[in-house]
Amino acid sequence: MTEAPQDPVAVPAESPARPAKVERFQTLTGMRDVLPPDSARRRALVQMFADTVAAAGYTEVVPPIVEDLGVFLRVGETTDVVTKEMYDFTDKDGTRIALRPEMTAGVVRAFVQHKPLLPWKVWYAGTNFRHEKPQKGRYRSFEQVGVEALGVDDPDLDVEVIALGWRFYESLGLRQVRLQLNSLGEGQDRARFTEALRVFLEARAGELSEEGRSTLARNPLRVLDSKRPEDRAVVAHAPMVADHLSPASKEHFERVCSGLDSLEIPYAVDDRLVRGLDYYRRTTFEYAADALDAAQNAIGGGGRYDGLAEDLGGPATDGIGFALGVDRILLACDAEGVFPAPVAVLDAFVVDLVGGDAARDITHELRAAGLSADRRFGGGSMKAQMKSADRSGAAHAVIVGSDEADAGEVTLRSLRAVANDQRRVPRARLVGELKAAARSTPTTRDPSPGSQQEIEEHS
Ligand code: HAM
């Protein structure tokens, strides 16, 4: 007799009669559920981002959330994101894998694997995982939207990418965003600068904080953006990256700056801006929201990563991109009072006082005609059903009582009108009436700042 294969997860053969107390689970530390109406707001934000970047020729890429650990080790062997914060583990087959802490590495891995035509301009939206100390605006599971553009060594592409992020914030209605810009130089410039910085900082290691000294041992560049006062005092006299740029890097950076000037996008060159991942070369940038606390005010960032495709086994390919933090952007929107959750409403709510057939059939008929409709299950009194109709946010109640049913009609009652506004319509004309009403009053509030203003003006 052959044995049945063993289930790898041990399940007790018989469940205990009735456990005294059933354990109740909560989200893990630093992770959150996104519930309505916030979920609709996020969806609207991602849609607005998709529309913004699609209009500039970017198409969507969807890499897996899990990659071979090596993919991420290549992008940040000296960074906290990769060495301290990554969720990595051994898969059932022994492969070392990791939940992505960011999207760029996976996108460039996909580029190397699939060899698409150049230039490759893509956008993405997805969840990332970093085992950070949770606080407001810093989570262990967070969402990013972003773009990557590979195969073009032209500073005007840097301008295009930076401007896309800027315009997106503007389209959400955010006004208190600052753009900081820097150039880390090409690979060799960056290496020369890092060495000069290491020598300088090692000579003053005694003045640095303990964390500053440990960062120095791993990655001298990261000491530059330490927030500790002791480190800042030392860094104030440190060598400047601008003094280590090759003429070609300088020229590239000047063209980026003049391009932003031409597009009237304000920025500040911040010589101390180094970003938290190893792959950056030349242009780097960050968007900060002044409406948020300084510790978590980075709402997006990016830059060039010209050597990354090679590091991941592909041909030498230039690349640039950014990722914007959705969770923090929404906090900034709250702080500035812009981009409210869209209020999703229904075209109709069917109130059935004749046994349930009408609710079943009319909702089906309306949905098939492209309208949105809901009903209350289990019937109930007129009062109870009308309460559900009000709560649903529907524009109209479609009421079917015995009078209406006998006459082949329905009562159409506006749930928006201040005065009582209702009339009987033949059931055969219901779809047409509701469609005409939907055309004159759209049933979803667009969350863009313009329409929000209109809503305020009409209320
Ligand atoms: P990053 O600066 O590590 O860059 O992340 C980009 C944005 O993600 C941050 O500015 C922030 O808004 C958000 N973010 C990061 N960590 C957290 C967290 N723990 N909780 C909430 N939000 C967070 C990158 O990820 C690069 N891949 C950007 C890039 C794309 N560079 C080139 N292409």
Side-chain angles (χ1 to χ4, degrees):
M1 201 179 95
T2 51
E3 267 188 23
Q6 284 252 301
D7 189 329
V9 180
V11 178
E14 281 175 43
S15 50
R18 182 185 281 259
K21 188 164 184 270
V22 178
E23 190 180 355
R24 292 180 65 181
F25 296 101
Q26 303 267 325
T27 43
L28 297 169
T29 306
M31 309 215 174
R32 295 162 314 144
D33 296 312
V34 180
L35 305 177
D38 289 343
S39 45
R41 194 181 187 205
R42 270 167 198 261
R43 185 178 278 268
L45 182 146
V46 172
Q47 189 57 51
M48 197 177 262
F49 182 78
D51 294 344
T52 304
V53 297
Y58 291 73
T59 48
E60 188 177 9
V61 61
V62 187
I65 293 175
V66 188
E67 297 271 356
D68 189 299
L69 178 65
V71 171
F72 302 117
L73 292 182
R74 297 290 152 75
V75 306
E77 260 164 326
T78 70
T79 66
D80 286 356
V81 170
V82 168
T83 56
K84 290 194 193 160
E85 297 163 2
M86 203 150 59
Y87 283 85
D88 55 324
F89 49 95
T90 305
D91 202 356
K92 292 185 195 303
D93 63 2
T95 319
R96 293 282 289 154
I97 61 178
L99 300 184
R100 64 183 175 212
E102 59 106 56
M103 308 277 294
T104 312
V107 172
V108 176
R109 192 267 315 134
F111 168 80
V112 170
Q113 182 174 340
H114 301 289
K115 307 179 185 67
L117 287 178
L118 297 177
W120 200 47
K121 300 209 306 185
V122 290
W123 71 269
Y124 50 76
T127 307
N128 299 276
F129 303 87
R130 296 183 191 176
H131 198 277
E132 300 202 68
K133 197 167 165 218
Q135 49 193 292
K136 192 173 178 196
R138 190 175 296 280
Y139 309 108
R140 291 185 176 171
S141 158
F142 61 96
E143 221 181 319
Q144 288 182 338
V145 290
V147 299
E148 310 293 349
L150 286 117
V152 181
D153 176 20
D154 182 335
D156 287 355
L157 175 64
D158 306 25
V159 176
E160 169 176 300
V161 166
I162 296 170
L164 276 176
W166 184 263
R167 299 288 178 231
F168 173 61
Y169 295 125
E170 277 186 343
S171 68
L172 293 174
L174 288 172
R175 294 291 173 265
Q176 298 171 46
V177 180
R178 259 180 310 112
L179 169 62
Q180 294 154 296
L181 197 61
N182 195 15
S183 174
L184 295 175
E186 288 155 348
Q188 285 187 353
D189 308 342
R190 189 183 146 130
R192 274 190 293 121
F193 172 62
T194 308
E195 184 52 20
L197 189 63
R198 192 184 60 75
V199 170
F200 171 87
L201 292 174
E202 277 179 356
R204 287 168 179 73
E207 298 163 49
L208 292 173
S209 68
E210 203 180 317
E211 284 80 4
R213 277 194 293 281
S214 120
T215 310
L216 167 60
R218 277 178 291 124
N219 183 352
L221 279 182
R222 293 294 294 173
V223 182
L224 288 183
D225 61 3
S226 163
K227 303 258 185 311
R228 293 168 204 282
E230 312 94 287
D231 300 341
R232 290 184 85 103
V234 175
V235 159
H237 306 286
M240 310 280 275
V241 64
D243 298 331
H244 293 78
L245 297 185
S246 66
S249 292
K250 251 188 202 145
E251 198 183 312
H252 184 100
F253 192 53
E254 278 160 13
R255 173 88 187 166
V256 175
C257 293
S258 65
L260 293 172
D261 292 338
S262 175
L263 300 187
E264 296 183 5
I265 294 177
Y267 60 88
V269 175
D270 179 355
D271 194 62
R272 301 292 183 227
L273 178 72
V274 288
R275 306 238 326 111
L277 293 150
D278 281 344
Y279 46 65
Y280 291 110
R281 303 283 179 273
R282 298 195 279 181
T283 315
T284 50
F285 55 95
E286 221 159 75
Y287 306 97
D290 282 338
L292 297 181
D293 290 346
Q296 272 80 242
N297 72 355
I299 52 169
R304 279 204 164 263
Y305 45 82
D306 297 331
L308 184 56
E310 257 177 308
D311 288 347
L312 287 167
T317 313
D318 296 299
I320 181 169
F322 64 62
L324 317 181
V326 171
D327 308 80
R328 288 191 196 170
I329 293 175
L330 290 175
L331 288 174
C333 288
D334 290 342
E336 288 202 37
V338 297
F339 198 68
V343 180
V345 293
L346 296 165
D347 293 304
F349 194 97
V350 182
V351 172
D352 179 337
L353 306 168
V354 287
D357 290 3
R360 181 194 61 208
D361 298 344
I362 294 176
T363 47
H364 182 81
E365 186 185 327
L366 297 182
R367 291 172 194 163
L371 292 157
S372 52
D374 201 0
R375 42 82 57 91
R376 182 181 148 116
F377 287 93
S381 66
M382 170 83 170
K383 193 173 163 204
Q385 292 194 50
M386 284 307 295
K387 202 168 163 192
S388 301
D390 281 332
R391 202 179 292 155
S392 76
H396 290 91
V398 173
I399 304 166
V400 189
S402 48
D403 273 9
E404 286 92 341
D406 290 346
E409 294 179 341
V410 300
T411 293
L412 195 56
R413 181 185 294 181
S414 169
L415 298 175
R416 298 288 159 74
V418 183
N420 194 10
D421 172 7
Q422 68 172 43
R423 65 210 149 90
R424 293 267 286 253
V425 297
R427 168 131 178 216
R429 285 214 339 254
L430 178 61
V431 166
E433 293 278 341
L434 284 172
K435 282 196 166 172
R439 273 195 297 277
S440 59
T441 24
T443 50
T444 320
R445 180 178 7 139
D446 181 341
S448 71
S451 52
Q452 174 59 12
Q453 196 182 341
E454 275 165 34
I455 288 162
E456 279 159 11
E457 276 166 11
H458 285 105
S459 60

